[in-house]
Amino acid sequence: MNLSSLLRPERICLELKAKKKVDVLRELVAMVKQDENAESLLQTLLKREELGSTGIGKGIAIPHGRSLLIDKLELAVGRSTKGIEFDSIDKKPAHLFFLVIAPPQDRGNQYLITLGRVAMVCQELAKKKRMFDPQTPEEFIELVSTLEGGIR
């Protein structure tokens, strides 16, 4: 499974408007869910964040969760050049956000596999400080594809 094959340009925002954690999650949710269940999905993610921040440090957060409101694995990506306080483990602002949500049961447990792939790609993005290189969603997907090629 390639992470880059799951990314879609319309679900990548390279300049989030959000200034707060809750607004980051709201923008990410809006990319995958725009119906009356969007607010419920946001609340699910906020409850997950209460258990422990998904800000993994080095400028990256991977908000994730499972929800009955979703019928298949969904991804969205947001980036903030200025950075946003996300209660990250290194206490530094997060710049790149990968939202991963899935139904409670998914075929082949793609949710966990995808989370693992996202974490590996994010390590490469942080290590090489390339998260700010892409100027378009298509360039972002191409970068992820290139990085995935190096970690196979």
Side-chain angles (χ1 to χ4, degrees), residues 11 16 21-46 63 69-70 74-78 99-101:
R11 292 190 176 178
L16 293 170
K21 183 176 187 174
V22 65
D23 296 327
V24 169
L25 295 173
R26 184 172 282 118
E27 277 191 69
L28 293 171
V29 166
M31 285 191 258
V32 298
K33 195 85 170 161
Q34 297 179 343
D35 63 16
E36 68 279 359
N37 292 321
E39 183 61 29
S40 295
L41 187 56
L42 173 62
Q43 294 305 315
T44 298
L45 291 169
L46 289 170
L69 302 171
I70 298 293
E74 302 280 4
L75 272 78
V77 178
L99 172 66
V100 181
I101 50 176

Side-chain angles (χ1 to χ4, degrees), residues 43-125:
Q43 294 305 315
T44 298
L45 291 169
L46 289 170
K47 285 180 184 172
R48 167 59 188 86
E49 290 296 322
E50 287 176 7
L51 297 174
S53 177
T54 57
I56 62 171
K58 298 184 179 180
I60 295 172
I62 309 173
H64 60 276
R66 292 183 180 267
S67 173
L68 290 170
L69 302 171
I70 298 293
D71 59 4
K72 62 181 176 43
L73 180 72
E74 302 280 4
L75 272 78
V77 178
R79 185 179 71 189
S80 168
T81 305
K82 291 182 180 177
I84 299 168
E85 288 301 320
F86 209 81
D87 303 317
S88 298
I89 58 172
D90 63 1
K91 310 288 185 205
K92 294 181 180 175
H95 296 273
L96 186 64
F97 307 88
F98 264 90
L99 172 66
V100 181
I101 50 176
Q105 297 179 345
D106 63 316
R107 287 187 181 171
N109 213 0
Q110 291 299 303
Y111 172 73
L112 291 177
I113 294 168
T114 301
L115 274 176
R117 292 297 287 185
V118 168
M120 286 192 294
V121 166
C122 285
Q123 284 178 342
E124 293 299 311
L125 284 167

